[in-house]
Amino acid sequence: MSSALKETVGRYGIWSVALRSEDPSRQGELAEATAELEQLGYGAVWLGGSSAARNAVPLIEATSRIVFGTSIQSIWQYPAAESAASFAELERAHPGRFLLGLGVAHARNTAGYRRPYSALVEYLDALDTAGVPADRRLLAALGPRTIELARDHAAGSIPYLVTPEHTARSREILGETPLLAPELKVVLETDPTRARTLAREALAPYLALPNYTGNFLRNGFTDNDITDGGSDRLVDAVFAWGEETRIRSRIDEFLAAGADHVALQVVDGASRESLPREAWRTLASLLA
């Protein structure tokens, strides 16, 4: 199934928080934007935040081919039985169009947070019992044990805020078959000062979350890299910015490191609810 999944999602997708909006007044706008993403040739849309199957339904109904995934659905927010029922309902209506991306979220944002790895194993076991196929779920895997879990009990890994080096290590652990689809933030700005300013604004919330800072430290960064808004070294490692040729080169680094698919998140300083449609068009053009 993984080879078919890789072909289905293609090389490039779009990661977006805005597209998961549940505001009824925005549904037409979101459907139109998603239909354009399909026309532009993207293979998948990854719905940011702790999204769920219900967020994908109106977008799937507005398109015919493109795949939707959660990036990610928190295992603490949605019980496994609820996730399984939602998955089954959506799969009956639109076979093969939805991927359940799961993660353990963050202790500071989650009541009752406990032993995240064990909780994730229990959650996957419950999904097995409920009949959710392992080859239709993905894990936001950062550390080695969770990457192994993505290899053995899911279709692969959708890591967030990582580097090509982390991608290469993930591929080594996953092996050849599982899907590896890292997220990459893109700043369509050529001025280094402006680009890094926008990047740091987007990076700031994550530097307060141990899941990410711990992963940076495991992967060769130092405490100096993760303080004071993040060093230039860190910013340049986890963002693609600059001329279009440079951005294309950065995306290609992830593919060369072993990624099957790259989920591109546009960072432009606008609100989380904005739809950067012109930037999506630009990216599609430079990736064609």
Side-chain angles (χ1 to χ4, degrees):
M1 171 66 180
S2 288
S3 59
L5 177 59
K6 292 176 185 181
E7 183 176 347
T8 299
V9 300
R11 285 291 208 184
Y12 311 110
I14 290 296
W15 192 103
S16 171
V17 171
L19 287 171
R20 73 176 295 279
S21 174
E22 297 181 31
D23 181 350
S25 69
R26 299 196 66 204
Q27 292 309 302
E29 175 191 13
L30 301 182
E32 180 184 307
T34 309
E36 184 181 16
L37 290 177
E38 182 172 78
Q39 293 167 2
L40 288 170
Y42 293 106
V45 170
W46 304 94
L47 301 176
S50 186
S51 47
R54 69 172 184 270
N55 301 118
V57 171
L59 307 179
I60 289 176
E61 291 174 346
T63 53
S64 61
R65 171 194 55 79
I66 197 167
V67 174
F68 293 83
T70 50
S71 181
I72 49 77
Q73 180 176 296
S74 168
I75 64 170
W76 312 102
Q77 185 174 350
Y78 299 94
E82 178 184 329
S83 294
S86 298
F87 176 89
E89 182 179 358
L90 184 50
E91 182 65 12
R92 283 193 297 271
H94 304 281
R97 298 285 308 282
F98 178 71
L99 297 169
L100 182 61
L102 300 167
V104 297
H106 306 279
R108 65 178 292 175
N109 301 330
T110 307
Y113 198 86
R114 60 174 180 82
R115 299 169 60 234
Y117 178 82
S118 297
L120 182 55
V121 171
E122 293 169 6
Y123 199 96
L124 293 173
D125 287 344
L127 291 180
D128 286 338
T129 300
V132 177
D135 62 7
R136 298 293 300 287
R137 61 202 193 202
L138 297 157
L139 304 184
L142 295 179
R145 286 205 305 166
T146 310
I147 298 170
E148 291 172 355
L149 197 62
R151 177 192 66 201
D152 299 335
H153 297 282
S157 176
I158 48 170
Y160 187 87
L161 201 61
V162 294
T163 63
E165 291 75 19
H166 180 275
T167 299
R169 281 187 279 273
S170 294
R171 176 52 70 197
E172 183 177 352
I173 296 170
L174 287 170
E176 182 178 348
T177 302
L179 178 72
L180 178 55
E183 174 268 353
L184 174 62
K185 295 173 178 57
V186 177
V187 184
L188 292 169
E189 172 61 59
T190 58
D191 177 76
T193 299
R194 175 63 177 159
R196 290 188 177 119
T197 296
L198 288 169
R200 286 190 172 93
E201 289 172 358
L203 182 62
Y206 303 109
L207 294 182
L209 298 174
N211 294 24
Y212 294 119
T213 56
N215 192 53
F216 292 147
L217 295 174
R218 279 196 305 270
N219 285 273
F221 295 97
T222 69
D223 288 333
N224 289 335
D225 288 308
I226 60 176
T227 56
D228 298 324
S231 67
D232 284 356
R233 175 183 176 227
L234 177 62
V235 167
D236 292 351
V238 296
F239 287 79
W241 62 267
E243 300 283 351
E244 290 183 11
T245 53
R246 173 174 172 163
I247 289 173
R248 174 61 191 262
S249 177
R250 292 282 291 121
I251 295 168
D252 287 346
E253 286 180 38
F254 282 80
L255 296 172
D260 302 296
H261 173 98
V262 184
L264 302 169
Q265 178 181 180
V266 171
V267 172
D268 58 7
S271 76
R272 286 167 60 89
E273 295 302 311
S274 69
L275 298 172
R277 295 179 64 175
E278 188 56 43
W280 291 341
R281 294 171 192 135
T282 297
L283 287 174
S285 177
L286 73 88
L287 294 169

